[in-house]
Amino acid sequence: MSMRWGMTVPLGGIPLSDHAEAFAALGDAGFTDLWTSEVAGSDAFTPLTLAAAWAPRFRLGTAIAPVFTRGPGLLAMTAAALAEAAPGRFQLGIGASSPVVVGDWNAAEFTQPFQRSRDMLRFLRAALAGELVDQQFETFAVRRFRLERPPAVPPQILLAALRPGMLRLAAAEADGVILNWLSPADVTTALAEVKTDKPGFDVAARIFVCPTDDAEHARRVGRRMIAAYLTVPAYAEFHRWLGRGDVLTPMWQAWSSGDRKAALAAIPDSVVDDLIVHGSPAECRAKVEAYVAAGITVPAMALLPTPVLDSGDAAAILAVLTGLGR
């Protein structure tokens, strides 16, 4: 089984200024990794910068920093600073993100996501190694850029990937791949496209976890998440590729017609149970271990809201984290 056990931070309901205690609790529970996402909450780097100072026992990672929302030089500088703050403990996960995050919320143009991801990966590889980059890439040009503070230990670069093209790019040029929104059985399908014998190649996965015995609550939360994410074109195509086209078509049809209530109702329990880990903390831990058995080397849980987690009861929240730990 994987010796790494990750949690997505920051934790809901806890201010960033109070996360020193949260990091300590996660460490005591057996977690080894802290990972961040970047959608519309905190950015991907600030929580990890705090963790680098407050909790030096952890490995750190972004899953993901979008390749469109920062310029190449700024992304390299930000990653280099965190790599300097946490030498040898930081992995930079990058990915295309989505048209909503990139275009609607960040006023950038979401075009050629595969090519942009490939170009940013190649640029970052050179820049974080301290090289002078003066190159016309397919999707952008960089003129005479060199980091003034290249990290002594450049971070490994992981690439978020869904379908075969991006999965193969990750295998060929990245130090690892980041998977998302899939079941343990789907891991096998994805990894069939990742043919690499690179030593230390990591397979990270964000795993949505709703630690509650109230299956109705978990499925209600899960349906909202599934409707919000799997209607995004890239994720819809991903699940068609995985073989869920027929079962998800009623949701997609209702969503496209503007009937959100019908879209939620069209999502079967079986799909929610495939994609959302739920049950008691011990049951959730066992289900996450099924991902590890399927080939995930870095499981990164992302907690979904439950009455306990939203209660503000520190002791009760700590008990949940302890139950999820190793």
Side-chain angles (χ1 to χ4, degrees):
M1 303 300 287
S2 174
M3 297 301 292
R4 296 175 66 178
W5 204 241
M7 177 60 73
T8 300
V9 294
L11 297 173
I14 302 176
L16 275 172
S17 57
D18 293 340
H19 262 64
E21 293 86 353
F23 296 151
L26 288 168
D28 291 344
F31 287 90
T32 62
D33 281 55
L34 302 175
W35 287 76
T36 52
S37 62
E38 192 167 89
V39 183
S42 66
D43 71 284
F45 294 95
T46 300
L48 299 184
T49 303
L50 295 174
W54 293 345
R57 72 174 99 176
F58 285 105
R59 296 189 66 166
L60 312 172
T62 59
I64 56 154
V67 297
F68 286 101
T69 55
R70 294 175 182 82
L74 179 58
L75 183 53
M77 288 186 289
T78 308
L82 187 48
E84 184 178 350
R89 296 189 291 117
F90 170 55
Q91 292 177 296
L92 174 63
I94 61 171
S97 190
S98 73
V100 170
V101 172
V102 173
D104 294 353
W105 297 350
N106 285 284
E109 189 174 357
F110 187 85
T111 57
Q112 297 183 282
F114 175 88
Q115 292 85 350
R116 175 78 177 201
S117 299
R118 179 202 61 206
D119 292 350
M120 191 68 84
L121 173 62
R122 293 173 178 175
F123 164 77
L124 289 167
R125 177 78 72 201
L128 291 169
E131 298 175 14
L132 174 69
V133 182
D134 187 8
Q135 185 172 346
Q136 176 70 53
F137 297 89
E138 183 175 349
T139 58
F140 58 81
V142 174
R143 297 302 176 215
R144 301 195 59 77
F145 176 85
R146 191 197 299 271
L147 283 170
E148 293 180 3
R149 298 174 66 100
V153 182
Q156 291 184 316
I157 305 173
L158 279 61
L159 181 66
L162 297 176
R163 288 182 288 157
M166 202 76 87
L167 289 163
R168 293 169 190 161
L169 175 63
E173 300 196 29
D175 300 305
V177 65
I178 299 170
L179 307 177
N180 194 16
W181 276 112
L182 76 178
S183 71
D186 296 330
V187 172
T188 302
T189 302
L191 292 187
E193 303 294 334
V194 183
K195 298 178 176 66
T196 179
D197 56 2
K198 292 179 184 177
F201 186 89
D202 274 320
V203 181
R206 169 153 286 113
I207 302 166
F208 294 101
V209 176
C210 193
T212 175
D213 289 320
D214 185 345
E216 183 178 349
H217 169 86
R219 287 171 179 152
R220 183 167 57 251
V221 172
R223 281 189 173 85
R224 290 199 298 266
M225 292 283 292
I226 288 167
Y229 275 87
L230 302 195
T231 53
V232 173
Y235 283 109
E237 290 305 316
F238 177 47
H239 281 271
R240 288 189 179 96
W241 177 64
L242 291 174
R244 292 195 181 90
D246 289 344
V247 73
L248 289 176
T249 290
M251 177 194 73
W252 291 324
Q253 290 176 337
W255 188 270
S256 64
S257 71
D259 192 339
R260 302 301 191 247
K261 185 176 180 179
L264 291 170
I267 302 168
D269 285 352
S270 60
V271 171
V272 181
D273 296 346
D274 267 354
L275 302 178
I276 304 293
V277 170
H278 60 92
S280 69
E283 289 171 333
C284 289
R285 183 178 65 245
K287 292 176 181 178
V288 172
E289 287 175 345
Y291 284 86
V292 176
I296 299 301
T297 63
V298 189
M301 301 184 208
L303 296 182
L304 301 183
T306 71
V308 171
L309 295 176
D310 291 345
S311 68
D313 184 334
I317 294 170
L318 177 59
V320 171
L321 296 177
T322 300
L324 294 170
R326 294 297 294 269

